[in-house]
Amino acid sequence: MQNSADSAVFVPHFHWDREWYEPFQVFRHRLVTALDTVLETAEANPDFRFTVDGQMAAIEDYLEMRPENRDRVVALVAGGQLAIGPWLILLDEFLCSGETIVRNLQMGWAAAAELGGSMPIGYLPDMFGHVAQMPQILARAGIEHAALWRGVPGSVDGHAFRWRAPDGSEVRTEFLFDGYDNGLDVLLVPDQIGRALGEYAEMTAGRWGGDPLLAMAGTDHNAPDPRLAAWLRRASSDERAITIATLDEYIREHVRDEVSAVVTGELRSHVRGNILPGVLSVRLALKQRMAVAERTVDHAERMNALWSRRDDSPFLSLAWHKIIESSAHDSVVGSGTDETSDQVEARLAEAAQTARAVRDAALAEPAARVPSDGHLVANPLPFPRTALAEVDVVAPPEGTVLVATSDDGSVHPVQLVSQAPTVLADERMDASQLERVLRRIHRRELFGRLIDHYELTPGSLVFHLAEVPSSGPFDLLILRREVAAAAAAHPGEWRVLTLEEARATALVPVEVPASGLTSFRVAPAGTAPGLPTAPATATDRTLANGLVEATVAADGTLDVTGTDGTVLFGVGRLVDGGDRGDSYNYAPPARDVLVSEPAEVTTELLENGPLRSRIRVTRVYEWPAALSSDRDVRATRTVPTPVETLVEVRAGEPFVRVSTSFLNQSADHRLRFHVPLPEPVAGSASAGQFAVTERGLTAEGGWGEYPLPTFPASAFVSAGAANVLLDHASEYELVGDGSELAVTLLRAIGSISVNIHPLRDEPAASEIPAPGAQDLGVRVENRFAVLPSATGWQGANAVALAEDFRNDVLVTRGTAPADGQLPPAATGVRVDGTDVLVSSIRRVTDEDRGAGTELRLVAMSATGSAARVTGPFTEATTVDLLGRPLSTTPVADGLELALGPWEIRTVVVR
């Protein structure tokens, strides 16, 4: 084999951002032109090769506009000239769930298979860092190689390394140390390619060892020059052989297998490329929309698999496709223009809507067996739990006690938290206008309720509405005839009164089986039963439930005491500072003003148990309105901004739920929620993408981007005795030399990129205004939970509690005739095990074995986990991450699984 001084391999490609500084359809117009050129170039020159950026979305988007070119694409893939796949989209790995990463790979691989097959390379050229479990995800899909640029630590001095996941899985990884466009500088002057290549080879010789130099010949949003192959043929010589190849061919045919450097875990070093960490916190709504869409489709899959006779896989696939499209590294990150971000937000909303339809249809089937005066409760989690169901009920007369009765006859207390008005409309009109009122009635529905009965007397028509009518049939034609006769007999003014039965919102503690169903009805009783756990109680400033206590301090912060007696003082200190950065990187102004003390604090007791207690804390802050014109000073004009913090404790929960809300009226600022720690710590741990990743107080720098130690977290973040359970992917930092945990609530900026950035040497993009990223006039809301524990995240059982916090039970009203018998509770698939995450339960179909239920389990522990899976099945097949069977075993009484440290295991039960 020739050494790098004598040979080079050029890989023609492009990098295609599906949407960014222009919206998707504008970029697609350019994509079609570029791929037209690629196909023509490849067909005219059999030696030409092209790598389509590792993502099938570019091919799908192209063929939707050029369906007549499908056979041409298939022929070029078959001939080895076109390398496609394996991803559906090049995603931001930290801003979506691990399950979304897996589905991305599955859908990309399947789409490539329809056109001839995927490139077996985990190509990740431009992501802003890489998650720790990516090597295992690739390896469990049968992919042995990766190629990437950003995030690789300075310890790697060659062009390849072995990337190891926490479970020990490895993939050989090609390090694109000069970026995915390193070959372009060599091609600037076509008749000087030989000389330029020689200089580049000499400059980078220490990287290549005995392997040929890899020249990635491509850049963003442009096809290579059709003359490229001719240029390279002329430049090739006996002294320096030049080959054109796909990336797959370079790795399989031109490099040796021996690689000594090993890197374990996530890649978030700044040393060889900007990782642009500010994308974790800009455009908060996109991160929240992503979490909602992922959670909704997950629940929909579980309900459809376990409780529906209908296979809604096409709708679920559509929802997943839209989620995956939105996970692109210039989409969910929020680094695009306002119109691009609006499109991403709408796409995520559409994904959630599609999934919601499947979820609700699946629940409608068992709800048809529940009487209409009862409610069905579904548990999306595969372990039994007691959860609060919030339902609408008929308000009892004053002094009457309500209780909830389950199918087994057990009785539970009910807490009323609000009552709705009963007068929906009180109108006066001439008799000749009564017909107009009747046109509001649709069969029996009026104002969203059903007519229970009506009273018609001279000059008066009174409708009595109910959610579930107690009277007999209602005939609208009879009503029309009676009203017409009464109006003719009594002309003049009439009063039309529309009354609803008194309604109230009730909280009910419900014991729900694993992945299961139960039902209950609420009715009056003589006395209220006791709680199996200590009740949630409240005073004007303190909430408690026997497990956790939260006291509001004079400054509006919280002192939170955990089950083991650990106390976190000053939780929720809000710190607001200026931000003169952009969508990619935070930057403080040269003369910053930090605002951390409220001008006014008020508290209000909202609920006083026994199931849920709540206090609302309102703190008014004087935040500067914006930055000055030179962007280095915060404005002297301030805007009084009330921040409402809802503090909540539920019976039986060992954590305090916290929600913050405010109307943002300031520009160019960053707001963070601080959790002071009992003592300084040297590091943190955060959960996301199938792992809990430990990090120190600093980040590795060296490229020209200041290495701010701001990090991502998805399910929870833990630092010392503080564990914060999260609702969506968030940014955090340990500040004050490890004495406080700071979680970002808002980062408001006005530009995609700025040319001169104090913490980044080079622009990340063009300086394009993005006023929508200021979130001005937007109500900014965040929710999380605080869990004190001296034993850290594992001792606090944070993996399971984070799932409990993020996944509410699903509640729907029954539709069977009222007053019938409640159906018995039903258990779905149950998974028992400590630190075992179940990321997916879904319906799958195999041509040979038929329908089954697929479960994906993860051992969220460095020591592994034992899991026991029980349910209505008699065999279990272990499959890889692409669904290919590996082994099948009969199951008599539950499936016992010994999961290795951080192992991802997928099984299909039948």
Side-chain angles (χ1 to χ4, degrees), residues 1-10 159 172 174 201 207-215 241-243 249-251 253-256:
M1 181 180 289
Q2 295 172 302
N3 61 43
S4 64
D6 301 323
S7 60
V9 176
F10 279 75
H159 73 101
R172 181 199 177 278
E174 188 67 28
R207 290 273 180 184
W208 304 108
D211 291 334
L213 182 151
L214 171 63
I242 295 176
T243 305
E249 288 172 332
Y250 172 77
I251 291 172
E253 300 175 8
H254 294 277
V255 301
R256 67 181 189 275

PDB file of all heavy atoms in Angstrom, residues 1-10 159 172 174 201 207-215 241-243 249-251 253-256:
ATOM      1  N   MET A   1       0.851  -1.202   0.000  1.00  0.00           N
ATOM      2  CA  MET A   1       0.000   0.000   0.000  1.00  0.00           C
ATOM      3  C   MET A   1       0.882   1.247   0.000  1.00  0.00           C
ATOM      4  O   MET A   1       1.847   1.344   0.721  1.00  0.00           O
ATOM      5  CB  MET A   1      -0.906  -0.028   1.236  1.00  0.00           C
ATOM      6  CG  MET A   1      -1.845   1.166   1.315  1.00  0.00           C
ATOM      7  SD  MET A   1      -2.899   1.111   2.786  1.00  0.00           S
ATOM      8  CE  MET A   1      -3.975  -0.233   2.351  1.00  0.00           C
ATOM      9  N   GLN A   2       0.485   2.184  -0.832  1.00  0.00           N
ATOM     10  CA  GLN A   2       1.248   3.425  -0.889  1.00  0.00           C
ATOM     11  C   GLN A   2       1.028   4.240   0.376  1.00  0.00           C
ATOM     12  O   GLN A   2       0.002   4.146   1.036  1.00  0.00           O
ATOM     13  CB  GLN A   2       0.814   4.237  -2.106  1.00  0.00           C
ATOM     14  CG  GLN A   2       1.153   3.558  -3.438  1.00  0.00           C
ATOM     15  CD  GLN A   2       0.536   4.312  -4.587  1.00  0.00           C
ATOM     16  OE1 GLN A   2      -0.657   4.494  -4.638  1.00  0.00           O
ATOM     17  NE2 GLN A   2       1.382   4.755  -5.503  1.00  0.00           N
ATOM     18  N   ASN A   3       2.005   5.088   0.747  1.00  0.00           N
ATOM     19  CA  ASN A   3       1.790   5.944   1.914  1.00  0.00           C
ATOM     20  C   ASN A   3       1.147   7.256   1.471  1.00  0.00           C
ATOM     21  O   ASN A   3       0.958   7.514   0.284  1.00  0.00           O
ATOM     22  CB  ASN A   3       3.090   6.176   2.684  1.00  0.00           C
ATOM     23  CG  ASN A   3       4.137   6.882   1.831  1.00  0.00           C
ATOM     24  OD1 ASN A   3       3.817   7.827   1.113  1.00  0.00           O
ATOM     25  ND2 ASN A   3       5.383   6.424   1.915  1.00  0.00           N
ATOM     26  N   SER A   4       0.833   8.109   2.455  1.00  0.00           N
ATOM     27  CA  SER A   4       0.043   9.298   2.164  1.00  0.00           C
ATOM     28  C   SER A   4       0.769  10.281   1.259  1.00  0.00           C
ATOM     29  O   SER A   4       0.137  11.098   0.611  1.00  0.00           O
ATOM     30  CB  SER A   4      -0.366   9.984   3.465  1.00  0.00           C
ATOM     31  OG  SER A   4       0.786  10.433   4.148  1.00  0.00           O
ATOM     32  N   ALA A   5       2.097  10.223   1.207  1.00  0.00           N
ATOM     33  CA  ALA A   5       2.828  11.142   0.340  1.00  0.00           C
ATOM     34  C   ALA A   5       2.650  10.767  -1.116  1.00  0.00           C
ATOM     35  O   ALA A   5       2.882  11.574  -2.006  1.00  0.00           O
ATOM     36  CB  ALA A   5       4.307  11.141   0.709  1.00  0.00           C
ATOM     37  N   ASP A   6       2.240   9.530  -1.381  1.00  0.00           N
ATOM     38  CA  ASP A   6       2.172   9.026  -2.748  1.00  0.00           C
ATOM     39  C   ASP A   6       0.763   8.839  -3.280  1.00  0.00           C
ATOM     40  O   ASP A   6       0.591   8.590  -4.474  1.00  0.00           O
ATOM     41  CB  ASP A   6       2.895   7.680  -2.840  1.00  0.00           C
ATOM     42  CG  ASP A   6       4.353   7.793  -2.417  1.00  0.00           C
ATOM     43  OD1 ASP A   6       4.962   8.828  -2.729  1.00  0.00           O
ATOM     44  OD2 ASP A   6       4.856   6.862  -1.761  1.00  0.00           O
ATOM     45  N   SER A   7      -0.252   8.910  -2.437  1.00  0.00           N
ATOM     46  CA  SER A   7      -1.602   8.618  -2.913  1.00  0.00           C
ATOM     47  C   SER A   7      -2.629   9.472  -2.185  1.00  0.00           C
ATOM     48  O   SER A   7      -2.421   9.880  -1.039  1.00  0.00           O
ATOM     49  CB  SER A   7      -1.937   7.127  -2.724  1.00  0.00           C
ATOM     50  OG  SER A   7      -1.860   6.771  -1.362  1.00  0.00           O
ATOM     51  N   ALA A   8      -3.705   9.712  -2.869  1.00  0.00           N
ATOM     52  CA  ALA A   8      -4.816  10.476  -2.292  1.00  0.00           C
ATOM     53  C   ALA A   8      -6.116   9.942  -2.863  1.00  0.00           C
ATOM     54  O   ALA A   8      -6.178   9.529  -4.028  1.00  0.00           O
ATOM     55  CB  ALA A   8      -4.678  11.962  -2.595  1.00  0.00           C
ATOM     56  N   VAL A   9      -7.144   9.959  -2.042  1.00  0.00           N
ATOM     57  CA  VAL A   9      -8.479   9.537  -2.467  1.00  0.00           C
ATOM     58  C   VAL A   9      -9.408  10.738  -2.314  1.00  0.00           C
ATOM     59  O   VAL A   9      -9.539  11.295  -1.218  1.00  0.00           O
ATOM     60  CB  VAL A   9      -8.992   8.351  -1.632  1.00  0.00           C
ATOM     61  CG1 VAL A   9     -10.422   8.002  -2.032  1.00  0.00           C
ATOM     62  CG2 VAL A   9      -8.083   7.143  -1.790  1.00  0.00           C
ATOM     63  N   PHE A  10     -10.019  11.128  -3.417  1.00  0.00           N
ATOM     64  CA  PHE A  10     -10.986  12.227  -3.397  1.00  0.00           C
ATOM     65  C   PHE A  10     -12.400  11.658  -3.321  1.00  0.00           C
ATOM     66  O   PHE A  10     -12.739  10.730  -4.073  1.00  0.00           O
ATOM     67  CB  PHE A  10     -10.841  13.097  -4.646  1.00  0.00           C
ATOM     68  CG  PHE A  10      -9.718  14.094  -4.552  1.00  0.00           C
ATOM     69  CD1 PHE A  10      -8.394  13.693  -4.671  1.00  0.00           C
ATOM     70  CD2 PHE A  10      -9.984  15.446  -4.332  1.00  0.00           C
ATOM     71  CE1 PHE A  10      -7.354  14.607  -4.583  1.00  0.00           C
ATOM     72  CE2 PHE A  10      -8.958  16.365  -4.239  1.00  0.00           C
ATOM     73  CZ  PHE A  10      -7.637  15.959  -4.356  1.00  0.00           C
ATOM     74  N   HIS A 159      -5.840  10.100  11.726  1.00  0.00           N
ATOM     75  CA  HIS A 159      -7.065  10.384  10.977  1.00  0.00           C
ATOM     76  C   HIS A 159      -8.170   9.392  11.314  1.00  0.00           C
ATOM     77  O   HIS A 159      -9.245   9.426  10.685  1.00  0.00           O
ATOM     78  CB  HIS A 159      -6.792  10.380   9.465  1.00  0.00           C
ATOM     79  CG  HIS A 159      -6.568   9.012   8.889  1.00  0.00           C
ATOM     80  ND1 HIS A 159      -7.537   8.320   8.203  1.00  0.00           N
ATOM     81  CD2 HIS A 159      -5.481   8.209   8.905  1.00  0.00           C
ATOM     82  CE1 HIS A 159      -7.047   7.156   7.806  1.00  0.00           C
ATOM     83  NE2 HIS A 159      -5.799   7.068   8.219  1.00  0.00           N
ATOM     84  N   ARG A 172     -14.930   1.763  14.215  1.00  0.00           N
ATOM     85  CA  ARG A 172     -13.779   2.491  13.685  1.00  0.00           C
ATOM     86  C   ARG A 172     -14.298   3.797  13.104  1.00  0.00           C
ATOM     87  O   ARG A 172     -15.262   3.819  12.342  1.00  0.00           O
ATOM     88  CB  ARG A 172     -13.077   1.694  12.600  1.00  0.00           C
ATOM     89  CG  ARG A 172     -11.839   2.420  12.045  1.00  0.00           C
ATOM     90  CD  ARG A 172     -11.419   1.861  10.698  1.00  0.00           C
ATOM     91  NE  ARG A 172     -10.277   2.616  10.166  1.00  0.00           N
ATOM     92  CZ  ARG A 172     -10.384   3.785   9.512  1.00  0.00           C
ATOM     93  NH1 ARG A 172     -11.575   4.311   9.288  1.00  0.00           N
ATOM     94  NH2 ARG A 172      -9.295   4.404   9.070  1.00  0.00           N
ATOM     95  N   GLU A 174     -13.556   7.428  11.165  1.00  0.00           N
ATOM     96  CA  GLU A 174     -12.733   8.305  10.346  1.00  0.00           C
ATOM     97  C   GLU A 174     -12.905   9.727  10.857  1.00  0.00           C
ATOM     98  O   GLU A 174     -14.021  10.253  10.926  1.00  0.00           O
ATOM     99  CB  GLU A 174     -13.153   8.209   8.878  1.00  0.00           C
ATOM    100  CG  GLU A 174     -12.243   8.939   7.918  1.00  0.00           C
ATOM    101  CD  GLU A 174     -10.855   8.311   7.829  1.00  0.00           C
ATOM    102  OE1 GLU A 174     -10.721   7.088   8.052  1.00  0.00           O
ATOM    103  OE2 GLU A 174      -9.906   9.071   7.511  1.00  0.00           O
ATOM    104  N   ALA A 201      -0.516  17.397   1.550  1.00  0.00           N
ATOM    105  CA  ALA A 201      -0.057  16.105   2.065  1.00  0.00           C
ATOM    106  C   ALA A 201       1.127  16.286   3.000  1.00  0.00           C
ATOM    107  O   ALA A 201       1.213  15.646   4.051  1.00  0.00           O
ATOM    108  CB  ALA A 201       0.313  15.185   0.902  1.00  0.00           C
ATOM    109  N   ARG A 207      -0.795  12.926  10.194  1.00  0.00           N
ATOM    110  CA  ARG A 207      -2.121  12.357  10.443  1.00  0.00           C
ATOM    111  C   ARG A 207      -2.338  11.022   9.733  1.00  0.00           C
ATOM    112  O   ARG A 207      -3.104  10.189  10.197  1.00  0.00           O
ATOM    113  CB  ARG A 207      -3.207  13.322   9.960  1.00  0.00           C
ATOM    114  CG  ARG A 207      -3.335  14.582  10.805  1.00  0.00           C
ATOM    115  CD  ARG A 207      -4.269  14.348  11.968  1.00  0.00           C
ATOM    116  NE  ARG A 207      -4.425  15.532  12.814  1.00  0.00           N
ATOM    117  CZ  ARG A 207      -5.127  15.543  13.928  1.00  0.00           C
ATOM    118  NH1 ARG A 207      -5.722  14.441  14.343  1.00  0.00           N
ATOM    119  NH2 ARG A 207      -5.218  16.642  14.648  1.00  0.00           N
ATOM    120  N   TRP A 208      -1.696  10.811   8.583  1.00  0.00           N
ATOM    121  CA  TRP A 208      -2.111   9.726   7.702  1.00  0.00           C
ATOM    122  C   TRP A 208      -1.371   8.414   7.931  1.00  0.00           C
ATOM    123  O   TRP A 208      -1.897   7.352   7.586  1.00  0.00           O
ATOM    124  CB  TRP A 208      -1.979  10.154   6.239  1.00  0.00           C
ATOM    125  CG  TRP A 208      -2.752  11.398   5.930  1.00  0.00           C
ATOM    126  CD1 TRP A 208      -2.250  12.642   5.688  1.00  0.00           C
ATOM    127  CD2 TRP A 208      -4.176  11.525   5.887  1.00  0.00           C
ATOM    128  NE1 TRP A 208      -3.261  13.539   5.486  1.00  0.00           N
ATOM    129  CE2 TRP A 208      -4.467  12.878   5.595  1.00  0.00           C
ATOM    130  CE3 TRP A 208      -5.230  10.626   6.051  1.00  0.00           C
ATOM    131  CZ2 TRP A 208      -5.761  13.346   5.466  1.00  0.00           C
ATOM    132  CZ3 TRP A 208      -6.527  11.101   5.936  1.00  0.00           C
ATOM    133  CH2 TRP A 208      -6.785  12.448   5.649  1.00  0.00           C
ATOM    134  N   GLY A 209      -0.188   8.464   8.491  1.00  0.00           N
ATOM    135  CA  GLY A 209       0.573   7.227   8.633  1.00  0.00           C
ATOM    136  C   GLY A 209       0.801   6.597   7.277  1.00  0.00           C
ATOM    137  O   GLY A 209       1.263   7.247   6.332  1.00  0.00           O
ATOM    138  N   GLY A 210       0.459   5.319   7.134  1.00  0.00           N
ATOM    139  CA  GLY A 210       0.618   4.634   5.853  1.00  0.00           C
ATOM    140  C   GLY A 210      -0.618   4.662   4.993  1.00  0.00           C
ATOM    141  O   GLY A 210      -0.646   4.035   3.932  1.00  0.00           O
ATOM    142  N   ASP A 211      -1.650   5.377   5.417  1.00  0.00           N
ATOM    143  CA  ASP A 211      -2.896   5.402   4.658  1.00  0.00           C
ATOM    144  C   ASP A 211      -2.896   6.539   3.649  1.00  0.00           C
ATOM    145  O   ASP A 211      -2.239   7.559   3.854  1.00  0.00           O
ATOM    146  CB  ASP A 211      -4.087   5.583   5.603  1.00  0.00           C
ATOM    147  CG  ASP A 211      -4.335   4.367   6.475  1.00  0.00           C
ATOM    148  OD1 ASP A 211      -3.951   3.262   6.052  1.00  0.00           O
ATOM    149  OD2 ASP A 211      -4.900   4.522   7.572  1.00  0.00           O
ATOM    150  N   PRO A 212      -3.663   6.388   2.582  1.00  0.00           N
ATOM    151  CA  PRO A 212      -3.761   7.476   1.603  1.00  0.00           C
ATOM    152  C   PRO A 212      -4.507   8.670   2.187  1.00  0.00           C
ATOM    153  O   PRO A 212      -5.367   8.525   3.061  1.00  0.00           O
ATOM    154  CB  PRO A 212      -4.529   6.846   0.443  1.00  0.00           C
ATOM    155  CG  PRO A 212      -5.272   5.704   1.038  1.00  0.00           C
ATOM    156  CD  PRO A 212      -4.429   5.192   2.155  1.00  0.00           C
ATOM    157  N   LEU A 213      -4.153   9.818   1.699  1.00  0.00           N
ATOM    158  CA  LEU A 213      -4.807  11.047   2.131  1.00  0.00           C
ATOM    159  C   LEU A 213      -6.264  11.036   1.672  1.00  0.00           C
ATOM    160  O   LEU A 213      -6.571  10.677   0.529  1.00  0.00           O
ATOM    161  CB  LEU A 213      -4.066  12.222   1.534  1.00  0.00           C
ATOM    162  CG  LEU A 213      -4.498  13.644   1.862  1.00  0.00           C
ATOM    163  CD1 LEU A 213      -3.276  14.560   1.791  1.00  0.00           C
ATOM    164  CD2 LEU A 213      -5.564  14.151   0.889  1.00  0.00           C
ATOM    165  N   LEU A 214      -7.171  11.444   2.569  1.00  0.00           N
ATOM    166  CA  LEU A 214      -8.590  11.562   2.227  1.00  0.00           C
ATOM    167  C   LEU A 214      -8.899  13.029   1.954  1.00  0.00           C
ATOM    168  O   LEU A 214      -8.717  13.884   2.827  1.00  0.00           O
ATOM    169  CB  LEU A 214      -9.468  11.057   3.375  1.00  0.00           C
ATOM    170  CG  LEU A 214     -10.967  11.320   3.248  1.00  0.00           C
ATOM    171  CD1 LEU A 214     -11.555  10.609   2.029  1.00  0.00           C
ATOM    172  CD2 LEU A 214     -11.705  10.894   4.519  1.00  0.00           C
ATOM    173  N   ALA A 215      -9.362  13.313   0.745  1.00  0.00           N
ATOM    174  CA  ALA A 215      -9.741  14.675   0.370  1.00  0.00           C
ATOM    175  C   ALA A 215     -11.246  14.693   0.116  1.00  0.00           C
ATOM    176  O   ALA A 215     -11.720  14.163  -0.893  1.00  0.00           O
ATOM    177  CB  ALA A 215      -8.979  15.129  -0.866  1.00  0.00           C
ATOM    178  N   ALA A 241      -0.567   9.117  -6.945  1.00  0.00           N
ATOM    179  CA  ALA A 241      -1.761   8.525  -7.541  1.00  0.00           C
ATOM    180  C   ALA A 241      -3.006   9.120  -6.889  1.00  0.00           C
ATOM    181  O   ALA A 241      -3.088   9.230  -5.670  1.00  0.00           O
ATOM    182  CB  ALA A 241      -1.750   7.018  -7.340  1.00  0.00           C
ATOM    183  N   ILE A 242      -3.965   9.473  -7.738  1.00  0.00           N
ATOM    184  CA  ILE A 242      -5.223  10.050  -7.240  1.00  0.00           C
ATOM    185  C   ILE A 242      -6.367   9.135  -7.656  1.00  0.00           C
ATOM    186  O   ILE A 242      -6.467   8.727  -8.820  1.00  0.00           O
ATOM    187  CB  ILE A 242      -5.449  11.457  -7.802  1.00  0.00           C
ATOM    188  CG1 ILE A 242      -4.366  12.418  -7.284  1.00  0.00           C
ATOM    189  CG2 ILE A 242      -6.832  11.979  -7.419  1.00  0.00           C
ATOM    190  CD1 ILE A 242      -4.466  13.810  -7.865  1.00  0.00           C
ATOM    191  N   THR A 243      -7.222   8.820  -6.700  1.00  0.00           N
ATOM    192  CA  THR A 243      -8.383   7.959  -6.936  1.00  0.00           C
ATOM    193  C   THR A 243      -9.645   8.714  -6.542  1.00  0.00           C
ATOM    194  O   THR A 243      -9.646   9.477  -5.587  1.00  0.00           O
ATOM    195  CB  THR A 243      -8.283   6.671  -6.096  1.00  0.00           C
ATOM    196  OG1 THR A 243      -7.046   6.026  -6.375  1.00  0.00           O
ATOM    197  CG2 THR A 243      -9.439   5.727  -6.383  1.00  0.00           C
ATOM    198  N   GLU A 249     -16.010   3.339  -0.041  1.00  0.00           N
ATOM    199  CA  GLU A 249     -14.884   2.707  -0.737  1.00  0.00           C
ATOM    200  C   GLU A 249     -13.552   3.111  -0.117  1.00  0.00           C
ATOM    201  O   GLU A 249     -12.642   2.284   0.013  1.00  0.00           O
ATOM    202  CB  GLU A 249     -14.917   3.081  -2.222  1.00  0.00           C
ATOM    203  CG  GLU A 249     -16.036   2.410  -2.996  1.00  0.00           C
ATOM    204  CD  GLU A 249     -16.156   2.946  -4.415  1.00  0.00           C
ATOM    205  OE1 GLU A 249     -15.794   4.127  -4.647  1.00  0.00           O
ATOM    206  OE2 GLU A 249     -16.611   2.196  -5.294  1.00  0.00           O
ATOM    207  N   TYR A 250     -13.423   4.373   0.275  1.00  0.00           N
ATOM    208  CA  TYR A 250     -12.177   4.803   0.912  1.00  0.00           C
ATOM    209  C   TYR A 250     -11.913   3.980   2.163  1.00  0.00           C
ATOM    210  O   TYR A 250     -10.806   3.480   2.385  1.00  0.00           O
ATOM    211  CB  TYR A 250     -12.240   6.289   1.264  1.00  0.00           C
ATOM    212  CG  TYR A 250     -11.059   6.742   2.106  1.00  0.00           C
ATOM    213  CD1 TYR A 250      -9.821   6.964   1.518  1.00  0.00           C
ATOM    214  CD2 TYR A 250     -11.182   6.903   3.476  1.00  0.00           C
ATOM    215  CE1 TYR A 250      -8.724   7.356   2.279  1.00  0.00           C
ATOM    216  CE2 TYR A 250     -10.095   7.296   4.252  1.00  0.00           C
ATOM    217  CZ  TYR A 250      -8.869   7.514   3.650  1.00  0.00           C
ATOM    218  OH  TYR A 250      -7.780   7.883   4.401  1.00  0.00           O
ATOM    219  N   ILE A 251     -12.927   3.842   3.005  1.00  0.00           N
ATOM    220  CA  ILE A 251     -12.735   3.147   4.279  1.00  0.00           C
ATOM    221  C   ILE A 251     -12.542   1.650   4.062  1.00  0.00           C
ATOM    222  O   ILE A 251     -11.686   1.020   4.707  1.00  0.00           O
ATOM    223  CB  ILE A 251     -13.932   3.436   5.208  1.00  0.00           C
ATOM    224  CG1 ILE A 251     -13.894   4.915   5.638  1.00  0.00           C
ATOM    225  CG2 ILE A 251     -13.930   2.517   6.427  1.00  0.00           C
ATOM    226  CD1 ILE A 251     -15.118   5.370   6.392  1.00  0.00           C
ATOM    227  N   GLU A 253     -11.567  -0.015   1.205  1.00  0.00           N
ATOM    228  CA  GLU A 253     -10.581  -0.479   0.235  1.00  0.00           C
ATOM    229  C   GLU A 253      -9.224   0.206   0.325  1.00  0.00           C
ATOM    230  O   GLU A 253      -8.244  -0.301  -0.229  1.00  0.00           O
ATOM    231  CB  GLU A 253     -11.138  -0.281  -1.184  1.00  0.00           C
ATOM    232  CG  GLU A 253     -12.437  -1.038  -1.441  1.00  0.00           C
ATOM    233  CD  GLU A 253     -13.023  -0.722  -2.816  1.00  0.00           C
ATOM    234  OE1 GLU A 253     -12.328  -0.042  -3.613  1.00  0.00           O
ATOM    235  OE2 GLU A 253     -14.177  -1.134  -3.077  1.00  0.00           O
ATOM    236  N   HIS A 254      -9.137   1.331   1.025  1.00  0.00           N
ATOM    237  CA  HIS A 254      -7.899   2.102   0.947  1.00  0.00           C
ATOM    238  C   HIS A 254      -7.178   2.307   2.266  1.00  0.00           C
ATOM    239  O   HIS A 254      -6.069   2.843   2.274  1.00  0.00           O
ATOM    240  CB  HIS A 254      -8.192   3.483   0.325  1.00  0.00           C
ATOM    241  CG  HIS A 254      -8.626   3.409  -1.106  1.00  0.00           C
ATOM    242  ND1 HIS A 254      -7.742   3.308  -2.156  1.00  0.00           N
ATOM    243  CD2 HIS A 254      -9.871   3.416  -1.668  1.00  0.00           C
ATOM    244  CE1 HIS A 254      -8.409   3.272  -3.301  1.00  0.00           C
ATOM    245  NE2 HIS A 254      -9.706   3.326  -3.021  1.00  0.00           N
ATOM    246  N   VAL A 255      -7.791   1.935   3.397  1.00  0.00           N
ATOM    247  CA  VAL A 255      -7.120   2.168   4.675  1.00  0.00           C
ATOM    248  C   VAL A 255      -6.926   0.851   5.413  1.00  0.00           C
ATOM    249  O   VAL A 255      -7.635  -0.121   5.189  1.00  0.00           O
ATOM    250  CB  VAL A 255      -7.911   3.148   5.562  1.00  0.00           C
ATOM    251  CG1 VAL A 255      -8.091   4.480   4.875  1.00  0.00           C
ATOM    252  CG2 VAL A 255      -9.269   2.571   5.954  1.00  0.00           C
ATOM    253  N   ARG A 256      -5.940   0.850   6.298  1.00  0.00           N
ATOM    254  CA  ARG A 256      -5.695  -0.340   7.114  1.00  0.00           C
ATOM    255  C   ARG A 256      -6.705  -0.363   8.264  1.00  0.00           C
ATOM    256  O   ARG A 256      -7.305   0.634   8.621  1.00  0.00           O
ATOM    257  CB  ARG A 256      -4.280  -0.327   7.665  1.00  0.00           C
ATOM    258  CG  ARG A 256      -4.009   0.776   8.676  1.00  0.00           C
ATOM    259  CD  ARG A 256      -2.557   0.731   9.147  1.00  0.00           C
ATOM    260  NE  ARG A 256      -2.309   1.646  10.265  1.00  0.00           N
ATOM    261  CZ  ARG A 256      -2.021   2.921  10.138  1.00  0.00           C
ATOM    262  NH1 ARG A 256      -1.935   3.456   8.935  1.00  0.00           N
ATOM    263  NH2 ARG A 256      -1.805   3.678  11.206  1.00  0.00           N
TER     264      ARG A 256
END
